[in-house]
């Protein structure tokens, strides 16, 4: 008798697992080998999928808490440095080996200098406002959010097909519009800055916070209210009336998960032995993730074919040259020869591994289709640019989906795991074409 995912996986792994402290695409967990167990990432992805099914069925066991992924920029990290008690703001450089912290206004010019012919005055202006106004919130811990607007970036417009005026802001690739007569819009128009806060760090130093990782699903309701600072968290507190997934659709997703689990359980041990080989497996995993992004970037430029290569054999051949030339791996001839031999002997297993990756992409998109319209705030409408197909000039706006959904689940060791459900064919295109990294 074939075991389903739930029958096999949950009893087997009740004592396994350590939380990842960063956010991954669901399918990329397949290639996240941590420590000596190559199955860790794969099984973490399946546990997450089971949690989504429990969420949809209204069951509490291993359920996933979900929030909206807002398309803000830049990332803003701010709070109290526990080592000296001083307030600071920063971007992702806060987590550098030498943290880039703004603790007084004069730090801003030093932290964000121009680079060659590229002026960073816009970023310096934003960080000056962020420092001035977020300091008044006086958070005890360290918070992480995304800047949505500053006072001068808000504008008024009438969306396509609408008759009433909306306020709007475009922090990154999405333009968010809110009817001007709503209380939400009125609060935003009073503010000097707007930020969505999604993560909290707790610890005795920035180093310890980086090591232990974040607490996702931050609840911002306890922060003080200031008219000059519009803020929100990203939590979806009420799904009633928003989630219309039928029992049949839920059953179809569950069946797809069980089928993918069966595919996983049939993968040969030789593949996993290869992945745990420090000299051979680590460059392989890096190369395969790079090849996925190479394919997405190529598709973003042409918009022809499929964003993910659907032929496992073709994909496998595509990344082998990348893998075998990976430095410093490629400088050791014996490793290259050994890897090539193992790969040739088990090519069907590696093709099946990528086939499982495609299974996870397809299951993710089934969930994405039903969850993407869930909102953490009412009256917020996302739009994307429409462009002239020949000149690529922006010629208008059209309704869009929000960037994605973030799922957070308790890890088996008591920590948290966060996964993002994003349509990479949509947002990789937007970010690649804008010169920004893939979401």
């Amino acid at each position: 008798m074939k075991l389903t995912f739930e029958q096999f996986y949950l009893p087997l792994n009740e004592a396994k697992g350590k939380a990842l402290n960063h956010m991954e695409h669901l399918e990329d967990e397949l290639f996240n080998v941590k420590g000596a167990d190559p199955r860790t990432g794969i099984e973490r992805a399946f546990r997450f999928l089971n949690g989504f099914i429990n969420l949809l069925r209204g069951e509490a066991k291993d359920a996933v808490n979900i929030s909206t992924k807002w398309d803000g920029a830049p990332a803003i990290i701010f709070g109290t440095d526990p080592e000296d008690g001083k307030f600071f703001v920063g971007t992702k450089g806060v987590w550098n080996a030498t943290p880039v912290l703004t603790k007084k206004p004069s730090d801003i010019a030093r932290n964000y200098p121009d680079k060659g012919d590229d002026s960073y005055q816009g970023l310096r202006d934003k960080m000056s406002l962020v420092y001035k106004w977020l300091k008044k919130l006086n958070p005890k811990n360290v918070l992480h959010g995304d800047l949505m607007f500053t006072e001068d970036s808000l504008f008024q417009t009438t969306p396509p097909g609408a008759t009433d005026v909306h306020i709007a802001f475009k922090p990154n690739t999405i333009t968010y519009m809110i009817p001007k007569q709503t209380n939400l819009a009125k609060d935003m128009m009073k503010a000097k800055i707007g930020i969505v806060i999604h993560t909290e760090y707790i610890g005795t130093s920035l180093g310890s916070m980086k090591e232990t990782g974040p607490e996702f699903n931050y609840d911002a309701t306890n922060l003080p209210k200031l008219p000059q600072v519009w803020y929100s968290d990203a939590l979806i507190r009420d799904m009633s009336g928003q989630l219309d997934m039928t029992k049949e659709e839920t059953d179809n997703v569950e069946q797809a998960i069980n089928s993918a689990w069966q595919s996983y359980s049939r993968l040969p041990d030789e593949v996993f032995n290869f992945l745990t080989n420090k000299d051979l497996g680590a460059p392989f995993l890096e190369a395969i993730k790079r090849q996925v992004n190479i394919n997405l970037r190529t598709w973003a430029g042409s918009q022809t074919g499929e964003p993910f290569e659907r032929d496992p054999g073709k994909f496998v051949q595509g990344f082998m040259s990348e893998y075998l030339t990976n430095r410093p791996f490629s400088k050791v001839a014996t490793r290259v020869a050994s890897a090539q031999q193992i790969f040739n002997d088990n090519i069907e297993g590696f093709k099946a591994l990528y086939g499982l990756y495609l299974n996870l992409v397809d299951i993710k998109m089934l969930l994405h289709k039903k969850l993407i319209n869930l909102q953490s705030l009412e009256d917020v409408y996302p739009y994307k640019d429409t462009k002239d197909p020949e000149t690529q000039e922006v010629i208008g706006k059209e309704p869009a989906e929000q960037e994605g959904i973030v799922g957070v689940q308790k890890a088996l060791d008591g920590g948290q795991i966060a996964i993002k459900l994003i349509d990479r064919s949509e947002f990789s295109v937007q970010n690649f074409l804008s010169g920004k990294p893939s979401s």
Side-chain angles (χ1 to χ4, degrees):
M1 180 183 70
K2 292 183 179 180
L3 294 176
T4 66
F5 159 70
E6 190 166 358
Q7 290 168 324
F8 179 68
Y9 170 76
L10 292 178
L12 175 69
N13 289 280
E14 202 51 45
K16 281 188 178 182
K18 180 173 175 59
L20 283 178
N21 291 326
H22 64 284
M23 207 178 300
E24 281 280 9
H25 295 284
L26 174 75
E27 62 271 18
D28 282 354
E29 285 284 19
L30 184 66
F31 305 131
N32 284 332
V33 175
K34 299 295 181 182
D37 188 353
R39 296 171 175 83
T40 302
I42 299 175
E43 294 180 352
R44 188 164 46 232
F46 276 108
R47 183 169 181 267
F48 234 100
L49 289 173
N50 190 64
F52 275 113
I53 288 294
N54 288 345
L55 170 71
L56 296 172
R57 294 193 184 283
E59 299 173 4
K61 184 178 180 181
D62 288 318
V64 174
N65 293 316
I66 59 176
S67 58
T68 300
K69 191 173 191 307
W70 290 73
D71 186 36
I76 300 294
I77 300 166
F78 66 103
T80 301
D81 184 341
E83 293 189 269
D84 61 13
K86 293 182 179 180
F87 174 80
F88 74 88
V89 298
T91 58
K92 291 182 179 180
V94 166
W95 306 120
N96 289 354
T98 302
V100 180
L101 307 177
T102 293
K103 293 186 175 180
K104 55 184 183 297
S106 59
D107 291 339
I108 293 173
R110 183 187 70 248
N111 289 342
Y112 308 104
D114 295 338
K115 296 181 180 179
D117 294 334
D118 295 329
S119 172
Y120 279 68
Q121 187 59 52
L123 178 59
R124 291 192 291 271
D125 291 343
K126 288 179 180 178
M127 296 307 292
S128 294
L129 287 170
V130 164
Y131 175 84
K132 177 180 179 179
W133 294 110
L134 291 185
K135 186 175 184 179
K136 297 181 182 298
L137 294 182
N138 193 30
K140 295 180 180 179
N141 297 314
V142 174
L143 305 179
H144 184 166
D146 295 301
L147 187 66
M148 304 308 295
F149 63 84
T150 55
E151 183 180 27
D152 62 353
S153 69
L154 288 174
F155 60 97
Q156 297 187 24
T157 186
T158 300
T163 57
D164 54 335
V165 175
H166 288 49
I167 67 162
F169 50 93
K170 186 184 180 185
N172 194 14
T173 63
I174 291 177
T175 300
Y176 294 95
M177 301 190 189
I178 301 97
K180 186 178 178 180
Q181 75 276 12
T182 63
N183 290 331
L184 177 61
K186 293 174 183 177
D187 287 342
M188 288 180 170
M189 287 187 289
K190 295 175 186 175
K192 302 296 184 182
I193 63 170
I195 185 171
V196 171
I197 306 167
H198 48 73
T199 304
E200 180 179 27
Y201 291 84
I202 301 172
T204 57
S205 67
L206 293 178
S208 69
M209 292 177 186
K210 182 179 178 180
E211 181 66 25
T212 58
E215 293 289 322
F216 299 101
N217 282 346
Y218 176 71
D219 184 342
T221 55
N222 291 325
L223 287 174
K225 298 292 185 183
L226 296 173
Q228 299 91 341
V229 181
W230 177 88
Y231 64 80
S232 176
D233 54 46
L235 295 175
I236 299 173
R237 291 179 168 82
D238 183 7
M239 293 190 298
S240 60
Q242 295 194 67
L243 192 60
D244 61 350
M245 199 157 186
T246 66
K247 181 180 184 302
E248 181 181 2
E249 289 171 326
T250 304
D251 290 343
N252 288 340
V253 174
E254 188 167 22
Q255 183 178 356
I257 294 172
N258 285 330
S259 177
W261 179 260
Q262 294 299 327
S263 297
Y264 161 57
S265 64
R266 290 192 294 268
L267 286 173
D269 290 341
E270 288 80 5
V271 170
F272 294 106
N273 293 337
F274 176 84
L275 297 180
T276 53
N277 184 302
K278 181 179 179 182
D279 294 329
L280 304 181
F284 174 89
L285 292 164
E286 292 172 8
I288 202 168
K289 290 181 77 171
R290 275 199 303 272
Q291 187 61 41
V292 167
N293 279 323
I294 288 171
N295 289 352
L296 283 167
R297 184 181 292 274
T298 301
W299 183 84
S302 67
Q303 296 285 291
T304 59
E306 293 279 349
F308 291 92
E309 174 58 61
R310 305 303 296 189
D311 182 340
K314 187 176 180 180
F315 176 87
V316 166
Q317 294 301 325
F319 82 82
M320 275 308 293
S321 59
E322 168 75 18
Y323 168 53
L324 294 175
T325 56
N326 186 290
R327 296 181 180 183
F329 171 71
S330 61
K331 295 183 178 181
V332 185
T334 54
R335 290 182 186 173
V336 173
S338 177
Q340 185 73 71
Q341 186 62 50
I342 294 171
F343 185 82
N344 290 342
D345 290 345
N346 298 280
I347 189 166
E348 293 304 316
F350 288 111
K351 286 162 64 174
L353 182 69
Y354 182 68
L356 178 59
Y357 183 88
L358 293 177
N359 291 156
L360 293 179
V361 170
D362 293 341
I363 294 168
K364 179 192 77 171
M365 291 311 298
L366 288 174
L367 291 168
H368 178 275
K369 181 180 179 181
K370 287 298 180 179
L371 297 175
I372 192 59
N373 291 319
L374 294 176
Q375 292 183 310
S376 57
L377 285 177
E378 294 182 357
D379 300 321
V380 178
Y381 302 97
Y383 285 78
K384 63 182 179 181
D385 293 340
T386 55
K387 297 183 178 181
D388 184 287
E390 294 185 2
T391 65
Q392 290 301 301
E393 293 182 359
V394 176
I395 57 176
K397 301 285 185 186
E398 63 180 355
E401 295 176 340
Q402 59 192 346
E403 183 179 359
I405 293 291
V406 174
V408 176
Q409 187 179 49
K410 284 186 178 180
L412 295 170
D413 68 350
Q416 288 184 323
I417 307 169
I419 292 289
K420 53 188 177 184
L421 300 183
I422 289 176
D423 182 354
R424 294 167 82 173
S425 69
E426 173 70 25
F427 282 95
S428 290
V429 170
Q430 297 294 329
N431 286 316
F432 283 142
L433 295 181
S434 67
K436 297 175 181 177
S438 174
S439 293

